[in-house]
Amino acid sequence: METAVEPHAPLADDELRRLNAYWRAANYLTVGQIYLMANPLLREPLAPAQIKPRLLGHWGTSPGLNLVYAHLNRTIVRRDLQMMFITGPGHGGPAIVANTWLEGTYTERYPSVSRDEEGMERLFRQFSFPGGIPSHVASEVPGSIHEGGELGYSLMHAYGAAFDNPELIVACVIGDGEAETGPLAGSWLSNVFLNPARDGAVLPVLHLNGYKIGNPTVLDRIPQEDLLSILRGYGYQPYVVAGDEPDRVHQELAGTLDRALDEIAAIQRRARGTGVVERPRWPMIVLRTPKGWTGPREVDGRPVEGTFRAHQVPLSGVRDNPEHLAQLERWLRGYRPEELFDATGSPVAEIAGLVPRGDRRMSANPNTNGGQVLRDLTLPDFRDYAVAVPEPGGTTAGATTATGRWLRDVIVANPDRFRLFGPDEVASNKLDAVFEATDRVWLGAQRAGDDHLGPDGRVMEVLSEHLCQGWLEGYLLTGRHGVFTSYEAFIHIVDSMVNQHAKWLKTTRGIPWRRPLASLNYLLSSHVWRQDHNGFSHQDPGFIDHVVNKKVEVVRVYLPPDANTLLTTMDHCLRSRHYINVVVAGKQPSPNWLSMDEAILHARRGLGIWPWASTDQGAEPDVVLACAGDVPTLETLAAADLLRRHLPELRVRVVNVIDLMRLQSEAAHPHGLPDTQFDTIFTRDKPVIFAYHGYPALIHRLTYRRANHDNLHVRGYQEEGTTTTPFDMVMLNQLDRFHLVVDVIDRVPGLGARAAHLRQAMVDARQECREYTRRYGEDAPRVAEWRWVGTRS
Amino acid sequence: METAVEPHAPLADDELRRLNAYWRAANYLTVGQIYLMANPLLREPLAPAQIKPRLLGHWGTSPGLNLVYAHLNRTIVRRDLQMMFITGPGHGGPAIVANTWLEGTYTERYPSVSRDEEGMERLFRQFSFPGGIPSHVASEVPGSIHEGGELGYSLMHAYGAAFDNPELIVACVIGDGEAETGPLAGSWLSNVFLNPARDGAVLPVLHLNGYKIGNPTVLDRIPQEDLLSILRGYGYQPYVVAGDEPDRVHQELAGTLDRALDEIAAIQRRARGTGVVERPRWPMIVLRTPKGWTGPREVDGRPVEGTFRAHQVPLSGVRDNPEHLAQLERWLRGYRPEELFDATGSPVAEIAGLVPRGDRRMSANPNTNGGQVLRDLTLPDFRDYAVAVPEPGGTTAGATTATGRWLRDVIVANPDRFRLFGPDEVASNKLDAVFEATDRVWLGAQRAGDDHLGPDGRVMEVLSEHLCQGWLEGYLLTGRHGVFTSYEAFIHIVDSMVNQHAKWLKTTRGIPWRRPLASLNYLLSSHVWRQDHNGFSHQDPGFIDHVVNKKVEVVRVYLPPDANTLLTTMDHCLRSRHYINVVVAGKQPSPNWLSMDEAILHARRGLGIWPWASTDQGAEPDVVLACAGDVPTLETLAAADLLRRHLPELRVRVVNVIDLMRLQSEAAHPHGLPDTQFDTIFTRDKPVIFAYHGYPALIHRLTYRRANHDNLHVRGYQEEGTTTTPFDMVMLNQLDRFHLVVDVIDRVPGLGARAAHLRQAMVDARQECREYTRRYGEDAPRVAEWRWVGTRS
């Protein structure tokens, strides 16, 4: 029966003793980090001044993490495994730091934190200390790809790391609190997308210690048979290890890990030997040990070990309360540090000898420093995928369609290091050319009528933005490349995940040994203006605003207006490093404005005047029509055309913005346009009517320091919409060509009677379109007439 | 065995025939809505002009929804149940609209859509048509509380509706795609929080039709035994109904629903009769029917029914392709409309007779129009919970602590209509006074050492922001009240859910029969500046920015600076209707500035000059120090004090902002301050140093139309931080008192040598604090000296 223990005791007495000594050492170092700033080896009685003034950290989860880490090391050494460790309860920072110090990796990365008494004091002092290191398994920690401050994403990161890493085993400790989150609950079935032949393995360890901050955990308090039923249903073979007697738990865990790793090996042999790739039943472990195990049983008469009170700092009054101080000293001495560290403070040989060598140490696994193993993509020349544009607006294409063809060949050229992720929207977003070359990865059952499913697919589709994001993050963090394509509105689902990844990118820029990663690339389509089968619920262009709040060093936003600009933009993004690139582009057929050569130049500049659409003849214009985004560009060009034909004396300048960050000042963003250039393009005092894809406030925000910002009038999404025609959508939000013309007339002084006449015609045209659409259910034919009609002779 | 069918055929022939007729009618009306704009009863052969020019909608899920709806109606009539219907696959809008029309509710709400031929034509034409109704089960649909555009939240909404609604049964159809999302996967265990004695029941119907947009669904393609194992593990008793022969499926579904409802009744009898409240095994249904069932089998030689191609519009070329047109006509006539509707176009009596009466109709259930059943809260007088403030800064309190006491008594006074929701952070956010009066609701196992758990608790804590949000939304949408308290950083987890709720609030403002709901209230603590055990990962004040993008009519943001202002703010929020109120407040002890009377006045004004902290004597100041948020207020007052003492001749005005929306212009937001008042307070031309809680850009965004915005200099969170002291955090982000003084000196012209001297002292003080903190791990004692030291004599 799967919940039973191995009958034998796999650890010989001496091995058990040494393993337990390692665990005691890790626990000692954990407690030391939380409490001590001096006297690390307790060479003298503890004194209040040796205690940190602010006690900050999380003890509760740490002994369990240390236990699992120690036992995984044993299996790595015995089996010569490539393994990495993901700490779901990332607040157990001191535990993981302790292990990396015992392994020597910490000292290799940070030589001043030497493996001796002086280094141990530094190690202790720096933890959660001003100027020191954070309390979580942050990017500073060798071997970490997962900080875990926000809970929910450990298992998806683990799977992401395992894809296309056939020799890797990703051990993933999931805290019982984290297991309550939706994203984690949705992660278990990632095994439907894991190919045992070409991917690595994930070994989930669900650590039930019973409590969160103040509450029990749900999975700890449902019947164990129900818990196992869930996990079995998700396709795992769960093994339970439970107890609070260390020796017994050591034996059980060692035996269970041996069994699990045997099964993983057998699964992989079967899949790789026979070529028959099926979804196996992967082993996993449920570990039940007390929260804050080996810590104080009681404090001030209240139970602590095994309760929620062990979550953070069990003894909180150590500096001022002599009883707490004495209890801390007893706690620390209970680990018998004198047996664990030699006279210099180094781990004794029998402990140091337990850790794997070199890159086999989980903290030194090269995959955990993804930039180190990153190989450039082989990119087919995007120019070969260009659409022909004999003249602006002369041809029509779906922007994503052309890029889909290019992505198809990116996939072909990089079969081992690039994947496309999407929540069941790759085809809907018109990237379906990729299926000419590959499948959707799928290890579940198949039926007649299924479309391009297979175990070797390079497209990962699951109806969970969380999983797409988490898998991709794990994939990028271990040195590979990818693109996430989603409906624009629903990418907000991963807002908080983006926050965490942006923070990772920001902090790792300051860590010399961390090498740059491939960028996290979003291709958002079915955007606010064109998601025709759906209505208001599918309209939200605010992800851009969310991303722009992140550190400017890591954030890029692109709004290519047509097919060729999208191609060159995507090529740029896939070559870039360590950014979050947000690209928003349409999927519906729409006019192409720029030839490939023009597109490359325009994208490189990021924004520019489109002289062929302007009537300012290179002189100072009367008004600037600016635009960003495909639909706003279409409306702006149509408005420019209306003005050109009906007010030919008006000098109109059309400016298109593809790189939104160019709008910011040089000081605010590395892409920021210098003020002089900005003023040259946008003028210092002429009205600027800016048609923007998203919420108008962002344009004001980006430009508020510019000289001409008082004259900036932005049209964008006003949170108005429903299921209606595309043109009705822009009318509902006053972004339509007619309204833009009205805006111009209202803002350029002294235009006279002809302009007033045109203004009324525009108002009438809106009304006419409105009524026609409501009557006939489609856009008035005249909308197509009132369009950009090609270059002037 | 639970997957087996009831052995008998519960439906007599006539009942089966009638039920099937109802189903055919609903399916007919569904197809009609997707395709037709005329000839609704097919009185003449279909002509292209009768087909909508744009075919938009989702057929695939609809026949399954219609089937479940029909069968639930049968049980409602037989058992006189109070039931409501939540449509997870909310894109099945036409199906639910069809049912509400058959029930007569649609016509009651929208009399022009009469239950006759003319009304049927309107019904068809309006669907997904400009000027008509959206394609989803939007707020326009009677009986809907769940639009379902974004998938994942149906089951949590269902549980939210069931809490404190003992007579209600919430039937919730979960589409198989939706079941893949994390939030849905995390929802199953909501039953650990449902009390069978005082809450209603949720009946989940997992509808497996096999496909999403382009992919199979994961749950459809794992072994059925695994699926059932998952559901059993989650505490349900799943019953499978599967098939594609209507009569057989009708019999199975009727029998299974009878059994499930018997079990629900038995569970409730047991809990309510014996008083022994345990977590039962609730029944649920797994329904396997073909996607697009009864639709075209093949189109253009490719299979459609039962495949992903049935997801949206199976026949897409009807206007131009005569074969498609003919196929559509065969499809529609296959339902034999002449048997379903009488000569006037009304449903025939044997169909109309099947629907429940009056409020028993799911589309007329008063709970689904929450404002209609909403009862005001009984609110204890918040003044009674005031902290004493003999003089500004004279006492200290944790702002949330005082509010916790008030919330305790709100809970006591409203035992049937108010709950407090939080992701295991109620105590951490210092609201633990509530546990003097109530428990955390918990139906799982309990152990010694647990803290305030019980089946009757009014506090809902689960480590899932999604669940907290979804439950609360369901609770509010059915006419109750609540507060969601969370760490500020992680509330981004529910960004996209907030979007959907904001959209609901916006659209329902325009629907006369929808009554206003209680507001969705957030109390965010452990905010960016004070979450001491954690570091950078816990720092993100951007939720405010996210919310501000939503429609101004529904959004309110408050930053009370101390305990009494928080009390009056929360009282205001709990009395308000139909808003999203975001309140950010600290939990750490900090100075109280305003007595309760002053707090009430200040909160009512939303912002104002604090004369006791100013040195402008009511005259025009040299500089304005503005602040919003508790920590920025503290730093601003300390800066004002430094200036008062060291540059006494400088006229400093201190302005505190509690209602952020006051900063916007009158035209932009209903709370916007008129320009003249704004100019009076902030001046038209003096420097304004604005210390803001969150990302500085928001203040610029809100004020960019104000006369003085060029002189506005905002300090806020710059995305810099780690685990450090509170004062070090503000220094890292240049929001500290010393930096604010430097800002003043740098911006007020002509201050002379004394100011230059002070400036250098401030720079030195920062350096000194920095070094002290890095050395000793706590803030320099001088930080406390350089503080606001009470009113001047």
Side-chain angles (χ1 to χ4, degrees), chain A residues 211-286:
Chain A
Y211 289 94
K212 296 170 292 201
I213 305 180
N215 275 280
T217 60
V218 175
L219 292 186
D220 186 61
R221 301 301 179 85
I222 62 174
Q224 175 155 307
E225 200 40 54
D226 279 2
L227 172 64
L228 298 180
S229 179
I230 294 170
L231 298 171
R232 278 184 215 121
Y234 281 139
Y236 298 89
Q237 179 68 40
Y239 296 103
V240 178
V241 175
D244 58 5
E245 299 166 42
D247 283 0
R248 199 178 134 81
V249 172
H250 281 306
Q251 292 287 8
E252 284 194 28
L253 184 55
T256 305
L257 273 174
D258 283 343
R259 181 163 176 177
L261 289 162
D262 285 348
E263 288 181 20
I264 287 173
I267 287 167
Q268 293 181 334
R269 260 197 318 274
R270 204 157 54 233
R272 295 168 194 187
T274 65
V276 179
V277 177
E278 293 173 327
R279 177 169 167 249
R281 194 161 286 274
W282 294 96
M284 66 164 289
I285 292 170
V286 175

Side-chain angles (χ1 to χ4, degrees), chain A residues 724-733 770 773-774 779, chain B residues 130-131:
Chain A
T724 188
T725 68
F727 192 72
D728 200 44
M729 260 302 291
V730 293
M731 282 205 296
L732 283 172
N733 290 281
R770 205 85 201 259
T773 298
R774 264 146 195 65
D779 289 330

Side-chain angles (χ1 to χ4, degrees), chain A residues 125 211-213 215 221 229 234 424 440 450 495 503 536 539-540 550-551 709 718 775, chain B residues 125 211-213 215 221 229 234 424 450 495 503 536 539-540 550-551 709 718 720 775:
Chain A
R125 185 190 181 86
Y211 289 94
K212 296 170 292 201
I213 305 180
N215 275 280
R221 301 301 179 85
S229 179
Y234 281 139
D424 194 30
R440 301 162 166 110
D450 288 348
D495 275 0
K503 284 169 182 284
F536 188 43
Q539 295 164 4
D540 188 300
K550 301 294 107 187
K551 220 49 186 174
H709 70 101
Q718 300 173 8
R775 175 165 309 171
Chain B
R125 185 191 181 86
Y211 290 93
K212 297 170 294 203
I213 304 180
N215 274 281
R221 301 302 179 85
S229 180
Y234 281 138
D424 194 28
D450 288 348
D495 274 2
K503 285 168 182 284
F536 189 42
Q539 296 165 3
D540 189 299
K550 300 294 105 187
K551 218 56 184 171
H709 71 100
Q718 299 173 9
E720 294 290 344
R775 175 165 308 172

Side-chain angles (χ1 to χ4, degrees), chain A residues 391-604:
Chain A
E391 64 170 354
T395 56
T396 294
T400 52
T401 307
T403 289
R405 287 190 285 267
W406 178 71
L407 284 173
R408 173 197 62 205
D409 295 343
V410 173
I411 287 171
V412 170
N414 302 277
D416 58 349
R417 58 185 185 281
F418 176 84
R419 296 198 185 209
L420 179 61
F421 301 75
D424 194 30
E425 291 159 8
V426 169
S428 173
N429 284 336
K430 309 283 189 201
L431 298 166
D432 41 333
V434 297
F435 298 121
E436 295 166 11
T438 189
D439 291 331
R440 301 162 166 110
V441 62
W442 188 260
L443 279 286
Q446 294 194 33
R447 285 215 292 261
D450 288 348
D451 185 37
H452 289 100
L453 304 181
D456 291 322
R458 311 301 298 161
V459 176
M460 312 215 57
E461 291 209 276
V462 61
L463 212 163
S464 165
E465 285 80 359
H466 291 111
L467 276 184
C468 292
Q469 173 83 16
W471 289 343
L472 175 54
E473 287 178 0
Y475 199 66
L476 297 174
L477 287 160
T478 50
R480 283 78 63 76
H481 309 257
V483 170
F484 182 177
T485 180
S486 168
Y487 284 13
E488 183 184 34
F490 299 146
I491 197 67
H492 271 302
I493 290 171
V494 298
D495 275 0
S496 63
M497 297 182 74
V498 179
N499 283 349
Q500 311 301 314
H501 192 73
K503 284 169 182 284
W504 186 275
L505 295 180
K506 184 234 174 193
T507 54
T508 48
R509 286 173 65 93
I511 301 172
W513 58 269
R514 289 268 182 198
R515 310 305 310 143
L517 303 171
S519 299
L520 172 52
N521 300 308
Y522 294 96
L523 174 49
L524 306 181
S525 196
S526 305
H527 60 52
V528 56
W529 304 106
R530 296 301 304 273
Q531 34 76 45
D532 298 1
H533 278 269
N534 307 292
F536 188 43
S537 64
H538 284 57
Q539 295 164 4
D540 188 300
F543 185 67
I544 297 173
D545 304 67
H546 178 69
V547 167
V548 168
N549 268 345
K550 301 294 107 187
K551 220 49 186 174
V552 294
E553 293 88 342
V554 303
V555 169
R556 304 290 181 267
V557 180
Y558 301 100
L559 293 156
D562 67 357
N564 287 334
T565 49
L566 177 61
L567 272 165
T568 178
T569 300
M570 290 306 296
D571 179 79
H572 173 77
C573 291
L574 260 60
R575 290 175 194 277
S576 75
R577 292 289 180 269
H578 227 64
Y579 296 146
I580 293 174
N581 294 312
V582 180
V583 182
V584 185
K587 66 181 184 182
Q588 308 286 356
S590 58
N592 303 309
W593 310 113
L594 302 186
S595 71
M596 186 47 90
D597 286 346
E598 293 165 333
I600 292 170
L601 193 62
H602 184 51
R604 193 172 301 153

Side-chain angles (χ1 to χ4, degrees), chain A residues 428 487 490 531-535 537-538 723, chain B residues 27 30-31 33-35 55-66 87 89-96 127-128 134-137 147-149 151 209 212-213 291-292 308-314 331:
Chain A
S428 173
Y487 284 13
F490 299 146
Q531 34 76 45
D532 298 1
H533 278 269
N534 307 292
S537 64
H538 284 57
T723 319
Chain B
N27 285 338
T30 301
V31 184
Q33 286 176 78
I34 294 176
Y35 284 98
L55 298 173
L56 303 172
H58 299 80
W59 162 246
T61 189
S62 295
L65 295 173
N66 288 331
T87 313
H91 45 277
I96 307 304
F127 174 77
S128 270
S135 58
H136 285 62
V137 189
E147 172 158 357
L151 299 173
N209 64 27
K212 297 170 294 203
I213 304 180
K291 186 151 189 160
F308 69 93
R309 292 190 193 88
H311 181 66
Q312 290 174 339
V313 177
W331 177 13

Side-chain angles (χ1 to χ4, degrees), chain B residues 173-196:
Chain B
V173 177
I174 302 152
D176 41 2
E178 177 170 26
E180 272 170 52
T181 66
L184 197 294
S187 301
W188 295 109
L189 280 169
S190 296
N191 59 28
V192 174
F193 303 85
L194 188 85
N195 178 335

Side-chain angles (χ1 to χ4, degrees), chain B residues 531-552:
Chain B
Q531 33 77 45
D532 298 1
H533 278 269
N534 308 291
F536 189 42
S537 64
H538 285 57
Q539 296 165 3
D540 189 299
F543 185 66
I544 296 173
D545 303 67
H546 178 69
V547 166
V548 168
N549 268 343
K550 300 294 105 187
K551 218 56 184 171
V552 293

